[in-house]
Amino acid sequence: MWSKIFTTVKYSLVTVNFLFLITGIVILSVGSSVQSAYNGYHEFLSERFFSLPAFCIATGVIIFIIASFGFYGAYMENYYMNMAFAGSMILMFVFQLSACIAGYALKGNAVALVQQSLLSTMDLYGPDKNFEVTKLWDEVQQDFSCCGVVNSSDWLGPLGTTESQGVPVSCCSHVYGAVQIFTCNTTVAYSTGCSEAFGSWVQSHAAAIGLTGVFMVLMQALAVAGAVWLANISRQEHAFP
């Protein structure tokens, strides 16, 4: 009876560990993709937005290594390796749960943090000021079809264009190749503020990390339970001390 149960649990755990190995790659990929996406807007994002993806990348690598040992321990029916795997997974469970909490906390604060960063950089916009910030503002407004922080009128003070109502050209939609006089002001500028459009994009990437973390926590709980069960059965079957 024990032999049949042991065989069933063994191959079930081998399967779970194989899936867990894949999920390690998944969370590594998610962390890398979010990190890559954020890198393009580094000036507008605080370090908090980069520490979480970096943590996911490191966690994915560690999970991949641990799962490899767990896979080997389950296949070789090694009691000590299975218990070591279970202990490591409990530790990773705590780390991953922390990532989930941090991901959802960052998601909730994403728009406010982005708004704060955008407001602090508006005075740096202009051809005679900070080139990197100016270029990034234009890219954000073009990529997300937005203008200013809350709306286009936010530019009037920093640019000193209260009378003309002029705003950056990147605030307006225009046809490339058209031959005409082009004017961009608050009347024709994008109506959506960048804290909403760009902030929502940042928020969705933080949420992706949180959702991935939840999935990983569930997989870890299953793997730990299977490893402990297999280790106990292995101990009884082979009369380990």
Side-chain angles (χ1 to χ4, degrees), residues 4-209:
K4 290 182 180 180
I5 295 176
F6 182 75
T7 301
T8 301
V9 176
K10 171 185 172 180
Y11 287 107
S12 296
L13 188 57
V14 167
T15 302
V16 169
N17 272 278
F18 178 73
L19 293 175
F20 199 67
L21 197 68
I22 299 301
T23 57
I25 298 174
V26 170
I27 194 169
L28 175 63
S29 300
V30 170
S32 298
S33 63
V34 172
Q35 181 93 334
S36 177
Y38 283 172
N39 279 336
Y41 304 99
H42 190 277
E43 295 289 338
F44 288 169
L45 299 175
S46 68
E47 290 304 317
R48 292 178 59 184
F49 289 103
F50 293 93
S51 59
L52 190 57
F55 178 78
C56 284
I57 293 172
T59 301
V61 172
I62 295 172
I63 286 175
F64 183 86
I65 295 172
I66 293 175
S68 298
F69 281 106
F71 179 84
Y72 179 77
Y75 185 78
M76 297 302 294
E77 306 173 15
N78 188 296
Y79 168 75
Y80 294 108
M81 285 196 68
N82 284 320
M83 287 305 294
F85 169 74
S88 299
M89 280 297 98
I90 292 173
L91 185 61
M92 293 307 300
F93 181 89
V94 175
F95 285 160
Q96 200 60 45
L97 189 60
S98 300
C100 290
I101 296 172
Y104 281 107
L106 190 61
K107 173 180 176 290
N109 296 327
V111 175
L113 289 171
V114 167
Q115 186 176 44
Q116 184 179 3
S117 297
L118 292 175
L119 282 170
S120 66
T121 57
M122 293 191 82
D123 288 329
L124 300 176
Y125 184 91
D128 300 325
K129 297 180 181 180
N130 190 305
F131 174 76
E132 291 297 327
V133 171
T134 301
K135 181 174 179 291
L136 193 54
W137 257 111
D138 286 337
E139 288 178 355
V140 168
Q141 291 182 146
Q142 290 176 346
D143 292 345
F144 297 95
S145 299
C146 60
C147 184
V149 180
V150 178
N151 53 53
S152 58
S153 62
D154 294 331
W155 280 116
L156 302 183
L159 296 180
T161 55
T162 304
E163 294 184 5
S164 64
Q165 298 290 296
V167 295
V169 174
S170 56
C171 277
C172 298
S173 176
H174 59 281
V175 179
Y176 291 98
V179 180
Q180 61 182 19
I181 297 175
F182 182 74
T183 302
C184 187
N185 53 39
T186 54
T187 303
V188 295
Y190 296 123
S191 58
T192 304
C194 292
S195 63
E196 178 183 345
F198 179 53
S200 296
W201 177 83
V202 173
Q203 190 177 55
S204 66
H205 282 74
I209 292 178

Side-chain angles (χ1 to χ4, degrees), residues 218-240:
L218 295 175
M219 287 298 297
Q220 284 171 353
L222 179 62
V224 168
V228 173
W229 189 18
L230 177 62
N232 288 332
I233 293 176
S234 177
R235 182 174 182 175
Q236 296 178 37
E237 182 75 13
H238 299 289
F240 278 106

